[in-house]
Structures are given as structure tokens and as C-alpha cells.
Amino acid sequence: MNVVVVGAGIAGLACARELTAAGVRVRVLERGRVVGGRLASERHHGRWADIGAAYFVADDPDFAALAERWRSRGLARPWTDTFAVHPGSPAAGPMRWAAPGGLRSLAGDLAAGLDVRLGHEVRAVPDDADAVVLAMPGPQALLLRPSAAVAEAARRQRWQPVLAAVLAYPERVWGDFHGAFVNDHPVLATVCDDGDRRGDRAPVLVAHSTPGLARDHLDVPDAAAAVIARATGELLGIAAEPRVHMHRWTHAQPAATDAPYATDGRVWLCGDAFGRPRVQTAWASGRAVAAALLQSSER
Ligand SMILES: Cc1cc2nc3c(=O)[nH]c(=O)nc-3n(C[C@H](O)[C@H](O)[C@H](O)COP(=O)(O)OP(=O)(O)OC[C@H]3O[C@@H](n4cnc5c(N)ncnc54)[C@H](O)[C@@H]3O)c2cc1C
């Protein structure tokens, strides 16, 4: 069997790893210059900041085993189970994991040893493979004009945009709070302490906008920098002006669905829209496609 995986986010990489381990010939085609997709870290002022997923939760036993392997190699670490809530009091939740080298480093680890071709934008479903895995948000998959069955599953997905703002301050002037969920706010949805998360104590926060603010600034995200910086300062009582770097996620968060993937038999669609939208779901969806492909090749 010869498989092409389009998309080197965690779903595509998880799928490709399983298939490669089973001896299948797999090429991963990624339009970006780096792997990871929304498991994204950007370098600003000499350090990585996480600009996509804020953390991951590992409550699936297989994913938890992977997290432990990352932990034993120093690639990931349990960060916190307690987030601040605005307005409200801090809330305990599941353990949230972070990566000292930025979350994208975990995608880099999964990509090691795979045939990944970066800077390779796919414009139509490839016809030179026995199976094609579209490991990406449905709206991106639709651009490749898949068959009706896959297109319909892609069209059913509902996505929200988010703007991420990396806010670099002259010094740490806030009390420890790890991260904060911000409720009923016109601008902010979450704010995370990136220095605490990464473990280097750098005076850097990463704020995620509400979908509404993102929708209003999708064309020019930089125009939202000042409003996000002001809202974050007001929330945390910070008077200093940060340097701000903006990142736009047009397809950031899908509504949850309950199938593990969609397929027409040759073309497969997977990613975090297949389950609760989070890193673990994307990983599990990619693995589920690999398992189904391996099973079908045994028949
Ligand atoms: C702002 C934000 C905050 C988040 N916070 C959290 C969180 O705290 N915890 C959590 O668990 N999850 C969080 N998530 C969600 C998490 O990031 C995703 O669930 C997960 O990373 C999705 O992985 P994926 O592989 O399904 O998709 P993606 O990471 O989107 O990967 C798709 C890949 O396909 C590539 N691609 C698309 N089209 C083409 C093409 N035509 N040709 C070639 N390549 C193509 C893209 O470049 C991309 O690399 C967050 C996401 C965002 C954006």
C-alpha cells in the first residue's frame, strides 16, 4: 500500500507514524515551512512562544503513554491543573501539559524519521496513491475537491476563528496564575503565562481572542493588537506596554462531532473536528484512520 498524507499537523503525523511503523510507504505533504499546524510555536525575541494550542490534556491511555514518553525525554511536562477564571475563583481541572521547547517541538518529534515534504501545497486530491489522508480542517480539505462523501462531511464541520497575541513585557509584573479562562468578555477568551508554561519565566503572555473579535479583524489582525493588549492589561492590572505579535487562525476551533473520521474508501478526512476539539482528538483521529487502513489492507 502506498499512502499520501496531506497535512503535517498532529493528526497527519500520528497517522503517518502508525502506517510507517507497520511497513506502509507514506509521504506526508505539508504546505507550511514547518510541521505542527495548530500545534504552533513562533520565535520572538530569542525564545519560543506557543501561539496555537495552549496546552494538551492526556486522558486517553494511549495518548497519556505518549505524554509520559515525552516527559521522560524532557520534551513535555505536566504544567498545571488550575486555571484562574475571570470573573470568578481559580478552578481545578485536568492536568494540562506544556512543552519546554514549545508545543511544536512535539510535532517535530513525531515527524522524526518520516518522509515529510515541507512547502508542498496540495491543490487537488492526489491520484498517485492507494489511499489519501486529508489531515486538516474540513474547509481546507474542500479546496482539494474531494468526492461527495468526504466533501459532505467537511461541509458539516463548523469552525470559529481566533486571534493569538504574544505580549512581551519589560518584566514580570503579575502574580502567578498559570492561565486564565475569561468569560463573557468582548475581546478575550483565554490568557496564558507563556513564561510559566514554558518554564523559563520570561515576561510573556499569550492571549486568545473571542471568535467575534477575530471575525472582525480577520483581514488585518494587527489592527486588534492594541485592543487585546489593553484588555489583558486591565484584566491582570498591568500598566506596562507590551510588544505585541499577532497571529490569525481562520480555522481555529471546530464544533465537536462524534465520528472518528470520514471516508469514501480511498480518501480519508481526519483531525480535531472528529471528537472534542483538542490535540488529543486530532492525534486519535489520525491513528484511527491508520488502523482502519491497515485493517482494510489485510482483507
Ligand atoms: C488558538 C488555538 C488554541 C487552541 N488551544 C488548544 C488547547 O489549549 N488544547 C488543545 O488540546 N487544543 C487546542 N487547540 C486545538 C489544537 O491545536 C488542534 O486540535 C490540533 O492541533 C489540530 O491538529 P490537526 O492535525 O487536526 O490540524 P492542523 O494542526 O490544523 O493541521 C493541518 C495541517 O494541514 C496543512 N494543510 C492544510 N491544507 C493543506 C494543503 N492543501 N496542502 C498541504 N498541507 C495542507 C496545514 O498547513 C496544517 O499543518 C487550539 C487551537 C488554536 C488555533
Side-chain angles (χ1 to χ4, degrees):
M1 184 166 48
N2 153 25
V3 178
V4 170
V5 173
V6 187
I10 191 160
L13 294 172
C15 181
R17 275 201 87 80
E18 286 295 299
L19 292 172
T20 303
V24 175
R25 204 145 46 88
V26 186
R27 265 175 303 149
V28 183
L29 308 179
E30 166 57 50
R31 69 181 176 186
R33 286 176 291 114
V34 287
V35 298
R38 280 170 286 151
L39 205 55
S41 315
E42 247 179 25
R43 212 161 163 82
H44 292 297
H45 316 297
R47 71 182 286 283
W48 295 106
D50 283 320
I51 58 163
Y55 52 80
F56 68 86
V57 168
D59 50 20
D60 165 286
D62 290 339
F63 194 59
L66 175 62
E68 281 302 333
R69 288 198 294 278
W70 279 333
R71 189 217 308 239
S72 70
R73 294 167 56 215
L75 295 178
R77 66 184 182 102
W79 172 32
T80 180
D81 64 358
T82 305
F83 257 35
V85 180
H86 293 277
S89 345
M95 178 51 72
R96 299 171 178 97
W97 288 68
L103 285 168
R104 195 195 295 281
S105 67
L106 304 179
D109 184 57
L110 290 180
L114 299 179
D115 178 359
V116 181
R117 311 202 183 164
L118 298 173
H120 192 124
E121 177 155 13
V122 177
R123 295 176 194 277
V125 172
D127 53 15
D128 60 346
D130 301 319
V132 176
V133 182
L134 306 179
M136 60 183 67
Q140 295 172 1
L142 282 170
L143 301 176
L144 278 60
R145 298 184 304 282
S147 66
V150 173
E152 197 183 311
R155 254 184 237 112
R156 273 200 304 270
Q157 296 180 4
R158 291 286 166 265
W159 287 82
Q160 305 257 41
V162 169
L163 299 180
V166 179
L167 307 163
Y169 293 87
E171 57 184 331
R172 292 180 72 84
V173 286
W174 53 86
D176 284 342
F177 68 99
H178 307 303
F181 296 119
V182 191
N183 294 324
D184 305 322
H185 195 283
V187 172
L188 298 174
T190 59
V191 180
C192 287
D193 182 337
D194 201 63
D196 181 60
R197 171 165 67 190
R198 292 267 328 289
D200 65 356
R201 307 289 292 169
V204 177
L205 301 174
V206 177
H208 288 160
S209 78
T210 56
L213 186 89
R215 234 173 262 120
D216 291 346
H217 293 85
L218 275 184
D219 289 343
V220 189
D222 282 346
V227 73
I228 293 181
R230 192 164 53 244
T232 305
E234 282 167 12
L235 189 82
L236 298 173
I238 304 170
E241 291 283 325
R243 284 173 295 179
V244 188
H245 302 274
M246 297 295 298
H247 189 89
R248 164 185 47 210
W249 295 106
T250 306
H251 301 107
Q253 293 166 341
T257 57
D258 50 14
Y261 50 74
T263 185
D264 62 11
R266 190 180 85 90
V267 179
W268 303 69
L269 176 63
C270 63
D272 63 334
F274 294 96
R276 256 179 85 194
R278 49 192 201 163
V279 172
Q280 175 177 270
T281 299
W283 180 84
S285 176
R287 290 225 319 170
V289 168
L293 275 170
L294 292 173
Q295 206 175 26
S296 69
S297 73
E298 278 166 13
R299 274 193 226 120

